[in-house]
Amino acid sequence: MDTTQSLFYPLAIISGLSSALFWYSYHFEMSKNTVVQYGGEEIGILKATSTFAATLGPFIGGLALTYFSFNFLFIASSILLLASVYPLFKAHDIKPRNSFKLSYLKPDKQRNRLYTAFIAIGTRSSGLDIVYPLFVFYILGNYFEIGVLASIMAFVTVAFYLLIGNYVDKKDYLQTLKLGSFLHSISWAIKGFIQNAAHIFTIGTYSAVSFMFIDLSHGKEVYEFASNTDTSSFLTVREIIVAFSKLFPLILFLITESFVITFTFIAFTMLLYAIPKQKSL
């Protein structure tokens, strides 16, 4: 193993720690500040804003990789990330009143459905962030073309976040969650049969829009539940389940070396969002 390869292990550990710290804090902040009746709209605005800001990211990244190198891209990204941290130091700190309770790791009627959905989150996350990009590069083989397609798809989805966020608030979010679960599952089932850039754009856009029904409905439900329970323990368990679930598609892909099988597995896990709510709730 050369020096470059050996760097992947400490970088993976650092990335895991930073992810755990950031996302726990992010969801804690959201659960304490989201207004339940407007949760879909609020989350939609937040998602639309971040998506719009990231619209040029893939395009610029594709240019950087085409004309420079991965090193240049990583250094530039690191500088931008460091700059974005500064406003956080100006924000008011919120100290959780609750400490982590091991009892939240045990099955519970009020939490089982959400915990199952967290498995779907982790599975989709690593599938979308790691396995699917490998598949797209295998199809296109061009960094710049990949970047352009990703930017266009991101731009198209911005308006849908605002529309669907408002729609979720007007409907029963459990019904929109089930709808999104079914529609998004279809997108993963057909991703393995993509053959060209047109397919990537069409199916990718459909996949992104269908996931919005899940993302906004589930987010609203999670923040509502977290605000009425031991927020610290609940969100800690969320991060644990999501982190472990990220391993499933990666292990499956390493064993089968099949994009179709891996994407089909992810498609089935998307249906976990549709598990009915317990009557006791």
Side-chain angles (χ1 to χ4, degrees):
M1 181 183 297
D2 59 32
T3 305
T4 302
Q5 290 178 321
S6 64
L7 289 174
F8 282 113
Y9 294 98
L11 286 175
I13 294 173
I14 293 172
S15 177
L17 289 173
S18 65
S19 179
L21 291 171
F22 175 83
W23 287 113
Y24 167 82
S25 303
Y26 172 88
H27 292 304
F28 191 95
E29 177 79 10
M30 288 294 294
S31 67
K32 295 301 182 184
N33 291 285
T34 300
V35 179
V36 174
Q37 60 266 38
Y38 303 114
E41 183 179 358
E42 290 179 350
I43 300 171
I45 292 173
L46 179 64
K47 296 285 187 178
T49 302
S50 61
T51 301
F52 179 76
T55 298
L56 293 178
F59 174 75
I60 295 174
L63 281 176
L65 291 176
T66 301
Y67 295 103
F68 297 99
S69 64
F70 273 107
N71 287 338
F72 175 85
L73 179 63
F74 292 152
I75 292 172
S77 299
S78 297
I79 293 173
L80 290 174
L81 285 172
L82 286 173
S84 69
V85 170
Y86 177 75
L88 295 178
F89 288 104
K90 297 293 184 179
H92 177 68
D93 285 338
I94 298 177
K95 297 182 180 180
R97 296 181 180 179
N98 304 313
S99 58
F100 177 67
K101 296 182 179 67
L102 290 174
S103 60
Y104 268 67
L105 290 171
K106 299 178 181 179
D108 178 270
K109 285 185 178 181
Q110 290 187 314
R111 300 187 295 266
N112 282 351
R113 202 186 72 79
L114 288 171
Y115 284 180
T116 304
F118 295 159
I119 296 175
I121 293 176
T123 301
R124 178 184 181 274
S125 177
S126 59
L128 186 66
D129 295 340
I130 300 175
V131 183
Y132 186 62
L134 291 175
F135 177 69
V136 171
F137 184 74
Y138 173 77
I139 297 296
L140 298 180
N142 183 289
Y143 294 125
F144 181 70
E145 191 173 353
I146 293 172
V148 170
L149 276 176
S151 290
I152 294 174
M153 286 188 290
F155 183 78
V156 170
T157 59
V158 170
F160 282 100
Y161 260 124
L162 300 176
L163 294 173
I164 295 175
N166 186 264
Y167 178 81
V168 168
D169 285 333
K170 294 179 179 179
K171 302 292 182 179
D172 179 357
Y173 62 75
L174 290 180
Q175 294 303 315
T176 56
L177 183 60
K178 292 177 182 179
L179 173 64
S181 175
F182 175 73
L183 294 176
H184 193 59
S185 177
I186 294 175
S187 74
W188 278 100
I190 60 181
K191 277 184 178 180
F193 302 99
I194 287 174
Q195 296 181 352
N196 53 50
H199 291 168
I200 293 172
F201 176 78
T202 304
I203 297 174
T205 301
Y206 165 75
S207 182
V209 173
S210 63
F211 182 68
M212 290 178 194
F213 287 95
I214 296 176
D215 197 18
L216 299 176
S217 303
H218 178 70
K220 181 175 181 177
E221 181 184 13
V222 167
Y223 296 143
E224 178 182 344
F225 187 88
S227 65
N228 294 303
T229 188
D230 182 342
T231 307
S232 180
S233 296
F234 175 69
L235 292 178
T236 299
V237 174
R238 178 195 183 280
E239 296 308 312
I240 292 173
I241 295 175
V242 170
F244 273 107
S245 300
K246 289 179 179 180
L247 296 173
F248 299 153
L250 301 180
I251 293 174
L252 180 61
F253 181 70
L254 288 174
I255 294 174
T256 64
E257 297 184 353
S258 169
F259 288 111
V260 173
I261 293 176
T262 304
F263 294 160
T264 302
F265 169 75
I266 296 173
F268 278 110
T269 62
M270 292 303 98
L271 297 176
L272 295 176
Y273 284 107
I275 291 178
K277 197 171 185 179
Q278 295 286 343
K279 292 183 179 180
S280 59
L281 286 177

